[in-house]
Amino acid sequence: MSKPSSQSAYVIAYVAIRDKILSGELEGGTKLVEERLAEEIGVSRTPVREAIRRLEQEGLIKKKRVANPTESDLRHLFQVRIILEGQAARTAATYMSEEDLALLSECIH
């Protein structure tokens, strides 16, 4: 079996940690220990460290602990995402060819 690339190891770590947080397996306030997470996930500490850094940027982790967002925090976060993602999709669509738009339309019908 081949060794996963550092990019795929990072993605594996990111998805695993994010899913543990969102499912409640890692509760708010839980201190994250890189060594333990790396062993559980089956990757080295470097991808875990990178995943934690990204999750901190996304607001799910603060100071190496699982964040405890309030209902208001979550509401604001999703309101911003709705606006940004809608605008990103509209902007991307303006640069798509007619063929690409037709393929995209087929995906949603």
Side-chain angles (χ1 to χ4, degrees):
M1 187 167 171
S2 66
K3 183 179 176 184
S5 71
S6 63
Q7 179 65 23
S8 64
Y10 153 74
V11 171
I12 290 167
Y14 169 79
V15 169
I17 297 167
R18 184 197 63 200
D19 288 352
K20 286 176 184 262
I21 292 170
L22 296 178
S23 72
E25 187 178 336
L26 288 172
E27 296 178 0
T30 301
K31 182 174 174 40
L32 301 176
V33 180
E34 290 176 8
E35 296 87 1
R36 185 175 53 88
L37 287 169
E39 186 176 313
E40 286 176 12
I41 298 167
V43 298
S44 68
R45 287 179 52 199
T46 300
V48 169
R49 192 174 308 117
E50 292 171 5
I52 288 172
R53 190 173 307 124
R54 178 170 170 195
L55 291 163
E56 283 177 333
Q57 292 170 344
E58 293 177 3
L60 289 174
I61 296 173
K62 291 184 181 178
K63 298 181 182 179
K64 301 263 181 152
R65 291 187 179 273
V66 177
N68 255 337
T70 65
E71 183 179 331
S72 177
D73 291 338
L74 293 173
R75 190 178 329 257
H76 290 127
L77 172 69
F78 283 106
Q79 287 173 342
V80 170
R81 285 189 65 183
I82 288 168
I83 293 167
L84 291 175
E85 290 174 6
Q87 180 60 37
R90 278 188 294 280
T91 302
T94 63
Y95 294 100
M96 295 177 77
S97 69
E98 289 298 322
E99 182 180 304
D100 289 337
L101 287 171
L103 287 171
L104 183 59
S105 182
E106 287 177 25
C107 291
I108 59 173
H109 288 110

